[in-house]
Coordinates of all heavy atoms in Angstrom, one line a residue:
V1 N 0.8 -1.2 0.0 CA 0.0 0.0 0.0 C 0.9 1.3 0.0 O 0.3 2.4 0.1 CB -1.0 0.0 1.2 CG1 -1.9 -1.2 1.1 CG2 -0.3 0.1 2.5
G2 N 2.2 1.1 -0.1 CA 3.1 2.3 -0.3 C 3.5 3.0 0.9 O 3.9 4.1 0.8
V3 N 3.4 2.3 2.1 CA 3.9 3.0 3.3 C 4.9 2.1 4.1 O 5.0 2.2 5.3 CB 2.7 3.4 4.2 CG1 1.9 4.6 3.6 CG2 1.8 2.2 4.5
G4 N 5.6 1.3 3.4 CA 6.6 0.4 4.1 C 7.6 1.1 4.9 O 8.0 0.6 6.0
A5 N 8.0 2.3 4.4 CA 9.0 3.1 5.2 C 8.5 3.7 6.5 O 9.3 4.2 7.3 CB 9.5 4.2 4.3
Q6 N 7.2 3.6 6.7 CA 6.6 4.3 7.9 C 6.3 3.3 9.0 O 5.7 3.6 10.0 CB 5.2 4.9 7.5 CG 5.2 5.7 6.2 CD 6.2 6.8 6.2 OE1 6.5 7.4 7.2 NE2 6.7 7.1 5.0
A7 N 6.8 2.0 8.9 CA 6.4 1.0 9.8 C 6.7 1.3 11.3 O 5.9 0.9 12.2 CB 7.1 -0.3 9.4
G8 N 7.8 2.0 11.5 CA 8.2 2.3 12.9 C 7.5 3.6 13.5 O 7.8 3.9 14.7
K9 N 6.8 4.3 12.7 CA 6.2 5.6 13.2 C 4.9 5.4 13.9 O 4.2 4.3 13.7 CB 6.0 6.5 12.0 CG 7.3 7.0 11.4 CD 7.1 8.0 10.3 CE 8.4 8.4 9.7 NZ 8.2 9.3 8.5
L10 N 4.5 6.4 14.6 CA 3.1 6.4 15.2 C 2.2 7.0 14.2 O 2.6 7.8 13.4 CB 3.1 7.2 16.5 CG 3.9 6.6 17.7 CD1 4.0 7.6 18.8 CD2 3.3 5.3 18.2
P11 N 0.9 6.7 14.3 CA -0.1 7.2 13.3 C 0.0 8.7 13.2 O -0.2 9.3 12.1 CB -1.4 6.7 13.9 CG -1.1 5.4 14.5 CD 0.3 5.6 15.1
A12 N 0.1 9.4 14.3 CA 0.1 10.9 14.3 C 1.3 11.5 13.5 O 1.2 12.7 13.1 CB 0.2 11.5 15.8
Q13 N 2.3 10.7 13.2 CA 3.4 11.2 12.4 C 3.1 11.0 10.9 O 4.0 11.4 10.1 CB 4.7 10.4 12.8 CG 5.1 10.7 14.2 CD 6.3 9.8 14.6 OE1 6.1 8.6 14.9 NE2 7.5 10.3 14.6
L14 N 2.0 10.5 10.5 CA 1.7 10.2 9.1 C 0.6 11.2 8.6 O -0.2 11.7 9.4 CB 1.1 8.8 9.0 CG 2.1 7.6 8.8 CD1 3.1 7.6 9.9 CD2 1.4 6.3 8.7
S15 N 0.6 11.4 7.3 CA -0.5 12.1 6.7 C -1.8 11.3 6.8 O -1.8 10.1 7.0 CB -0.2 12.4 5.2 OG -0.3 11.3 4.5
G16 N -2.9 12.0 6.5 CA -4.2 11.3 6.5 C -4.2 10.2 5.4 O -4.7 9.1 5.7
G17 N -3.7 10.4 4.3 CA -3.6 9.4 3.2 C -2.8 8.2 3.6 O -3.2 7.1 3.3
Q18 N -1.7 8.5 4.3 CA -0.9 7.4 4.7 C -1.6 6.6 5.8 O -1.6 5.3 5.8 CB 0.5 7.9 5.3 CG 1.4 8.4 4.2 CD 2.6 9.1 4.8 OE1 2.5 9.8 5.8 NE2 3.7 9.0 4.1
Q19 N -2.3 7.3 6.7 CA -3.0 6.6 7.8 C -4.1 5.7 7.2 O -4.3 4.5 7.7 CB -3.6 7.6 8.8 CG -2.6 8.3 9.7 CD -3.3 9.1 10.7 OE1 -4.0 8.6 11.5 NE2 -3.0 10.4 10.7
Q20 N -4.8 6.2 6.2 CA -5.8 5.4 5.6 C -5.3 4.1 4.9 O -5.9 3.1 4.9 CB -6.7 6.2 4.7 CG -8.0 5.6 4.3 CD -8.9 5.3 5.4 OE1 -8.6 4.5 6.3 NE2 -10.1 5.9 5.4
R21 N -4.1 4.3 4.3 CA -3.5 3.1 3.7 C -3.0 2.1 4.7 O -3.1 0.9 4.4 CB -2.3 3.6 2.7 CG -2.9 4.2 1.5 CD -1.8 4.6 0.5 NE -1.1 5.9 0.9 CZ 0.1 6.2 0.5 NH1 0.8 5.5 -0.2 NH2 0.6 7.4 0.9
V22 N -2.6 2.6 5.8 CA -2.2 1.7 6.9 C -3.5 0.9 7.4 O -3.5 -0.3 7.7 CB -1.6 2.4 8.1 CG1 -1.5 1.5 9.4 CG2 -0.3 3.0 7.8
A23 N -4.6 1.7 7.5 CA -5.9 1.0 7.9 C -6.3 -0.1 6.9 O -6.8 -1.1 7.3 CB -7.0 2.1 8.0
I24 N -6.0 0.2 5.6 CA -6.3 -0.9 4.6 C -5.4 -2.1 4.8 O -5.9 -3.2 4.8 CB -6.1 -0.3 3.1 CG1 -7.2 0.8 2.9 CG2 -6.2 -1.4 2.1 CD1 -7.1 1.5 1.6
A25 N -4.1 -1.8 5.0 CA -3.2 -2.9 5.3 C -3.6 -3.7 6.5 O -3.5 -4.9 6.5 CB -1.7 -2.4 5.5
R26 N -4.0 -3.0 7.5 CA -4.5 -3.7 8.8 C -5.7 -4.6 8.5 O -5.7 -5.7 9.0 CB -4.9 -2.6 9.8 CG -5.4 -3.2 11.1 CD -5.7 -2.2 12.1 NE -6.8 -1.3 11.6 CZ -7.4 -0.3 12.3 NH1 -6.9 0.0 13.5 NH2 -8.3 0.4 11.8
A27 N -6.6 -4.1 7.7 CA -7.7 -5.0 7.3 C -7.3 -6.2 6.5 O -7.8 -7.3 6.7 CB -8.8 -4.2 6.6
L28 N -6.4 -6.0 5.6 CA -5.9 -7.1 4.7 C -5.1 -8.1 5.5 O -5.1 -9.3 5.1 CB -5.0 -6.5 3.6 CG -5.7 -5.6 2.5 CD1 -4.7 -5.1 1.6 CD2 -6.7 -6.5 1.7
A29 N -4.5 -7.7 6.6 CA -3.7 -8.6 7.4 C -4.5 -9.8 7.9 O -4.0 -10.8 8.3 CB -3.0 -7.9 8.5
M30 N -5.8 -9.6 8.0 CA -6.7 -10.6 8.6 C -7.2 -11.6 7.5 O -8.0 -12.5 7.8 CB -7.9 -10.0 9.3 CG -7.6 -9.1 10.5 SD -6.8 -10.1 11.8 CE -8.3 -11.0 12.4
H31 N -6.7 -11.4 6.3 CA -7.1 -12.3 5.1 C -8.7 -12.3 5.0 O -9.2 -13.4 5.0 CB -6.6 -13.7 5.3 CG -5.1 -13.7 5.2 ND1 -4.4 -13.8 4.0 CD2 -4.1 -13.6 6.1 CE1 -3.1 -13.8 4.2 NE2 -2.9 -13.7 5.5
P32 N -9.3 -11.1 4.9 CA -10.7 -11.1 4.8 C -11.3 -11.7 3.5 O -10.6 -11.6 2.5 CB -11.1 -9.7 4.9 CG -9.9 -9.0 4.3 CD -8.7 -9.8 4.7
K33 N -12.5 -12.3 3.6 CA -13.2 -12.7 2.3 C -13.8 -11.5 1.6 O -14.1 -11.6 0.4 CB -14.2 -13.7 2.7 CG -13.7 -15.0 3.2 CD -14.8 -16.0 3.6 CE -14.3 -17.3 4.2 NZ -15.4 -18.1 4.7

């Protein structure tokens, strides 16, 4: 999702667009149907 370099940061250190992409990665990590 294009935010690999941000892995060690806290959400507040990210832009809104980056945070939303992290939220997508978080959802995908559960292997949803």
Side-chain angles (χ1 to χ4, degrees):
V1 300
V3 288
Q6 317 300 328
K9 293 183 179 176
L10 293 171
Q13 297 173 280
L14 273 56
S15 71
Q18 289 172 325
Q19 289 187 59
Q20 194 60 296
R21 286 183 280 158
V22 172
I24 293 172
R26 178 181 62 180
L28 291 174
M30 296 297 288
H31 295 272
K33 294 176 179 176

